[in-house]
């Protein structure tokens, strides 16, 4: 080893030991014949000291010439500091250096390598290996490491077997966003990268593996959004002979274990809510439960009083912002403008202030009496000092808009504390959702999700109302995971494919192997998958997944550090029997 | 849960409990008014019993109609068996069934799902999900699971951080066997799948991660050989501020931990041998040390006695097979034919029998006296009853041929016991090897491997003799892992690229980001990677890695279960701006 100790290890107990450390120069100070060097590695910082008269001249010269981020090895004696630094664990000691060697020099970094940096996003992505030196980033990846280890510990103890499923699989026309991989040996044929190991984990259940898990890379060639990555990591799980309740309990256990072991936190019980309730009360299938502000439907109270906007609306719905009656006119105008932005798209917003003196002031005083408004307030559980904000329009759109407004209010009122965690299971998702573009039903979760037995007859009469045995885990308004009890017999799977508009031939060509497997003794089974990048970000109290990925791609799916994707040579293309065509519009 | 217990769980202590089990029908026996059903799951087998008169008629009918691999759920009372089966842990009890439900039927499987099956390789690959039901296969994947968990435990305890490196990286012209992935968003550009995370793990060292590991999928689009897979798994590791000795010790620790925790075995000390010695003594850089039979060079003793074959040879070299003097003429002829096969390519083989009476009988008695042969025997440490086999020719070829012969003899003489494990480190590999086809030197390990300091001057004068700081771990004649101390400064890395025939522009285009990283304070570092599939196979006592992979591809790189690779639609090709060209020959 090029060192006897790390830079985070030495304490007063080590006084007078002769030690060798190696690391990066964080800082050099030079004052009154003394030179101090802060030496950094992953484990901490230790101070080196050189003294004129005591250290030899060549060594002093070396010490004085050290630049930031030089890599050095230093040997010397552990001594007690005169001025202790109680901010770091090694702050009681320093190393009186007897020998120093520069192991590698460093150019001046393109940005400052400290918790607060002057480097912009692009520059830090290009020099990601330098950005990764910053404590804040390294700690995020260390958190990720701990999350992985603790996940595996829990799963192993719960009798799950980790099985690696293939990365080179088969493309399906349904998988329009598959990345494909041309085969050199089989010209004109392609593998595809998995969007999830779904069919393989179901086959493992058919194989009798009983409990499978994997922490696995998945791939999706999507038009990129800010917080999506073309490759992402899932905790992927599947179990046999279980019902929904078993799965919810087992994975509530996983999430509790992670909070306990990684963050030392006891998570509140994970509440459960149907999809219908989530939409009705929060306008959202992933409600943030760190604060209340549930929706209050006001149709009965607000309609028929001559206010045409409400009278013509399918839904009149509001939220009560506690203590916000003091919002100024300006603040209310800003909120109105905010909900009218194209991203939200509301036509307007009605406010009702419940003043401290018990009176009401609203933007619709022309249409409603004080008693009318009092009835609203009572229904909303509002007290003097509270503010009601009401939107109206068609059901889906209005709920969505009010959900956005609720989240913004929660943010503005400081109700979305990043150190507080509120988790819930959302249950009874619809099996199908109508897609306007293709004018047919799509599976809301995926085509392997089982419908609720009691809703089966509705499949023929009212497909949109059929509920699935599907569930999502939501933490702080972010969908962390989701899964379902699967279909495990061929007939029902074929029925599903038919309702999804697959011809029998298409279903056979794409999923024939799975349906055939169902004929050889498939057990009842179900599973779940968690977005691991997002789970780490939530645990780290961050909105962005990117910092929790060692080498992320940018919003255009590009790795700017290595410059990828990039053109390949004509020889490589020829080997693959491919040529690049100008894109047809 | 659809069960209260697994099929491997119940014992005499559970007598009279009412339990529910679920699993697969392994066997049904019907005799004298009794029906027994063996119910199987991952955890074991439990016997169900139905009795005429006691069980109701409908249930008896159901029980009698159960076919192999039906999935059933049965509830009943745990009773003591009259005829105990001490071969299985549940053999003292059986379940007197009160209720049975068929959860899923099964067609007759295409092959027998028992340890011994009648299914051929192709059929079992097509129905891999049924093959995986067999204990022998499932146990292999369970071993793999344990290997993964124990590897992570050791690495975590040794302060390694698991970091996921990207799967979508950059193709390099050097990486002729890269799989590439066309980008839809960036037409005409491609990602590549990593053959290893080499550059990323080195960048993590530059980032100060100090100790990195990952169990990671890698990809190589090779012309396939029997025991290669296009996707394979590595235990990939890198460390900073270490020398070779640190790495050998730490990973000897890993291998010992795995043998101890997974197999309950204390591995012998891992011996060390230079590449030069391995070649001289075993003709092989991955010698099987489960048996001796080291090479004996006989040039001095055997040349100049008029036997032209030996006189004209660069090397005359033999092995001593203990106790094999009794080999018959026929056996010796067969061995001679074996070494003369094109795969081995020897011109002939000389034998010397050291008879029990102390006399010698050889195929070259015409040229050598009894005293001559006695001198050979003495040099080889042969005793009466032993057999010397001698090959000759040019150095490299002859060593290779004798190595094959040695391994065959070891096999024939039962010296390669699959339950015995002998590991060694092979050290001091050559840095470069001459490639006839391209008429230039190639890096034997990879271009990032550091040369031994003392050999540096030879780089200009005799590049082939420069030794690298590189090491391989070999167990039972199989290369399990390999690694090196890396170059960590730009100048030396450029020097290496130059010696490997890269132009400055090529080196910059392909590895510019790494060389630039070296300028910002790169620590001395080194690492190792283990072939995880092969490691599992070795632990399982198997020569083939395929059974240790849940869903392997066949020798043509094809997954016959899902039929991949396959053609993709014209629309998909158009989206990717690609067209398929007829292959040019």
């Amino acid at each position: 080893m090029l060192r006897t100790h790390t830079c985070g290890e030495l304490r007063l107990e080590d006084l007078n030991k002769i030690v060798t450390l190696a690391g990066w120069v964080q800082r050099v100070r030079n004052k009154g014949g003394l030179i101090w060097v802060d030496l950094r590695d992953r484990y901490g910082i230790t101070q080196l000291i050189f003294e004129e008269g005591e250290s030899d001249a060549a060594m002093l010269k070396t010490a004085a010439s050290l630049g930031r981020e030089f890599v050095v090895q230093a040997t010397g004696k552990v001594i007690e500091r005169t001025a202790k630094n109680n901010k770091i664990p090694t702050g009681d000691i320093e190393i009186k250096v007897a020998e120093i060697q520069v192991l590698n020099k460093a150019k001046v970094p393109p940005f400052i390598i400290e918790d607060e940096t002057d480097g912009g996003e692009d520059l830090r992505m290009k020099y990601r290996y330098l950005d990764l030196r910053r404590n804040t980033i390294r700690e995020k990846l260390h958190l990720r490491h701990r999350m992985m280890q603790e996940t595996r510990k829990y799963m192993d103890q719960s009798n799950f077997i980790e099985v690696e499923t293939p990365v080179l699989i088969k493309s399906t026309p349904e998988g329009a966003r598959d990345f494909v991989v041309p085969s050199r040996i089989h010209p004109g044929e392609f593998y595809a990268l998995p969007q999830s190991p779904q069919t393989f984990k179901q086959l493992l259940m058919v194989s009798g593996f009983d409990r499978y898990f994997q922490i696995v890379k998945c791939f999706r060639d999507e038009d990129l959004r800010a917080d999506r990555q073309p490759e992402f990591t899932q905790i992927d799980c599947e179990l046999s002979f279980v019902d929904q309740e078993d799965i919810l309990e087992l994975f509530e256990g996983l999430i509790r274990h992670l909070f306990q072991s990684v963050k030392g936190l006891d998570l509140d019980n994970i509440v459960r809510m149907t999809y219908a309730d989530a939409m009705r009360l929060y306008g959202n299938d992933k409600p943030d439960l760190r604060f209340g502000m549930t929706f209050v439907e006001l149709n009965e109270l607000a309609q028929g009083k001559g206010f045409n906007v409400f009278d013509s609306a399918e839904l009149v719905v509001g939220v009560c912002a506690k203590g916000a009656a003091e919002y100024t006119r300006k603040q209310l105008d800003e909120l109105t403008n905010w909900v009218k932005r194209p991203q939200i798209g509301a036509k307007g917003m009605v406010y009702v202030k419940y003043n401290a003196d018990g009176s009401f002031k609203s933007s619709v005083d022309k249409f409603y009496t004080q008693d009318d408004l009092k009835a609203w307030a009572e229904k909303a559980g509002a007290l003097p000092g509270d503010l009601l904000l009401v939107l109206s329009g068609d059901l889906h759109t209005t709920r969505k808009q009010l959900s956005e407004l609720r989240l913004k209010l929660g943010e503005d009122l400081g109700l979305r504390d990043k150190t507080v965690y509120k988790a819930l299971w959302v249950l009874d998702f619809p099996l199908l959702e109508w897609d306007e573009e293709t004018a047919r039903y799509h599976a809301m979760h995926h085509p392997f999700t089982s419908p609720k037995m009691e809703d089966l007859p509705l499949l023929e009469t009212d497909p949109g109302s059929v509920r699935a045995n599907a569930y999502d885990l939501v933490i702080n308004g972010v969908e962390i995971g989701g899964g379902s009890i699967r279909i495990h017999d061929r007939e029902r799977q074929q029925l599903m494919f038919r309702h999804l508009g697959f011809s029998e031939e298409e279903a056979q060509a794409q999923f024939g192997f799975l349906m055939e497997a169902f004929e050889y003794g498939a057990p009842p089974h179900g599973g779940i998958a968690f977005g691991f990048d997002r789970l780490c970000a939530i645990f780290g109290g961050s909105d962005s997944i990117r910092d929790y990925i060692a080498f992320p791609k940018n919003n255009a799916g590009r790795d700017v550090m290595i410059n990828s994707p990039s053109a390949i040579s004509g020889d490589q293309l020829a080997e693959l029997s491919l040529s690049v065509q100008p894109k047809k519009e």
Side-chain angles (χ1 to χ4, degrees), chain A residues 266-321:
Chain A
D266 276 319
L267 189 68
D268 280 352
N269 279 335
I270 299 188
V271 300
R272 298 177 186 191
M273 192 181 295
T274 62
Y275 173 86
D277 281 348
M279 295 309 288
R280 190 172 53 80
L281 295 171
Y282 300 93
N284 196 321
D285 62 0
K286 36 180 196 282
D288 184 344
L289 297 195
R290 280 175 296 182
F291 63 109
M293 222 186 277
T294 47
F295 288 12
V296 188
E297 298 190 355
L298 296 170
N299 291 39
E300 276 182 39
L301 296 173
Q303 288 180 330
K305 308 275 178 164
F307 182 40
N308 188 46
V309 172
F310 281 4
D311 288 352
S312 65
E314 187 183 1
L315 181 69
V316 180
V317 61
V319 289
C320 169

Side-chain angles (χ1 to χ4, degrees), chain A residues 134-310:
Chain A
R134 299 194 302 129
N135 286 331
T136 50
I137 308 285
R138 202 190 47 243
E139 279 160 12
K140 289 181 171 68
L141 290 168
H142 198 257
L143 172 83
R144 185 180 177 110
H145 164 74
R146 287 260 46 89
M147 299 279 288
M148 291 184 85
Q149 309 313 314
E150 293 297 338
T151 298
R152 287 201 166 85
K153 196 184 286 177
Y154 181 87
M155 299 306 281
D156 188 29
Q157 282 168 357
S158 305
N159 259 324
F160 284 80
I161 296 186
E162 187 167 9
V163 179
E164 293 158 86
T165 53
V167 176
L168 297 171
I169 65 165
K170 185 187 172 77
S171 185
T172 62
E174 274 297 285
R177 290 302 170 250
D178 283 344
F179 282 107
V180 297
V181 182
S183 165
R184 187 177 51 87
I185 298 174
H186 305 285
E189 297 191 334
F190 296 75
Y191 302 99
L193 304 182
Q195 297 189 32
S196 98
Q198 184 63 31
T199 50
F200 289 97
K201 68 175 174 172
Q202 292 193 244
L203 289 175
L204 286 171
M205 294 303 103
V206 176
S207 297
F209 272 66
D210 205 75
R211 294 183 163 205
Y212 142 92
F213 89 104
Q214 190 182 188
I215 301 182
V216 61
K217 275 276 174 80
C218 299
F219 306 87
R220 204 174 296 142
D221 189 8
E222 277 184 316
D223 299 310
L224 296 156
R225 287 185 259 156
D227 205 25
R228 287 281 176 95
Q229 289 279 320
E231 52 179 298
F232 53 97
T233 303
Q234 280 189 188
I235 306 174
D236 193 50
C237 313
E238 196 80 5
L239 306 78
S240 291
F241 301 119
V242 289
D243 55 29
Q244 177 172 301
E245 184 58 34
D246 302 317
I247 293 184
L248 300 191
E249 276 175 31
L250 196 57
F251 290 96
E252 172 158 352
L254 169 65
I255 296 299
R256 288 183 164 289
H257 171 74
L258 289 176
F259 271 104
Q260 184 61 66
S261 60
V262 175
K263 294 189 72 78
L265 272 182
D266 276 319
L267 189 68
D268 280 352
N269 279 335
I270 299 188
V271 300
R272 298 177 186 191
M273 192 181 295
T274 62
Y275 173 86
D277 281 348
M279 295 309 288
R280 190 172 53 80
L281 295 171
Y282 300 93
N284 196 321
D285 62 0
K286 36 180 196 282
D288 184 344
L289 297 195
R290 280 175 296 182
F291 63 109
M293 222 186 277
T294 47
F295 288 12
V296 188
E297 298 190 355
L298 296 170
N299 291 39
E300 276 182 39
L301 296 173
Q303 288 180 330
K305 308 275 178 164
F307 182 40
N308 188 46
V309 172
F310 281 4

Side-chain angles (χ1 to χ4, degrees), chain A residues 328-342:
Chain A
T328 61
R329 180 76 214 191
K330 182 156 172 272
Q331 282 175 300
L332 290 168
D333 284 348
E334 278 169 7
L335 271 186
T336 306
N337 289 334
W338 190 86
V339 297
K340 286 163 94 172
R341 291 181 317 151

Side-chain angles (χ1 to χ4, degrees), chain A residues 89-148:
Chain A
T90 61
D92 289 341
I93 58 94
E94 60 193 353
I95 311 299
K96 190 168 175 176
V97 177
E99 226 184 304
I100 186 161
Q101 199 191 342
V102 175
L103 298 175
N104 216 340
K105 292 187 179 184
K107 292 203 295 194
V108 175
F111 52 86
I112 294 173
I113 299 177
E114 304 260 12
D115 291 1
E116 294 296 321
T117 178
D118 57 348
E121 174 85 6
D122 289 351
L123 197 63
R124 289 190 290 118
M125 289 284 275
K126 178 162 159 55
Y127 294 96
R128 180 67 174 171
Y129 51 87
L130 296 179
D131 203 26
L132 287 171
R133 278 191 196 160
R134 299 194 302 129
N135 286 331
T136 50
I137 308 285
R138 202 190 47 243
E139 279 160 12
K140 289 181 171 68
L141 290 168
H142 198 257
L143 172 83
R144 185 180 177 110
H145 164 74
R146 287 260 46 89
M147 299 279 288
M148 291 184 85

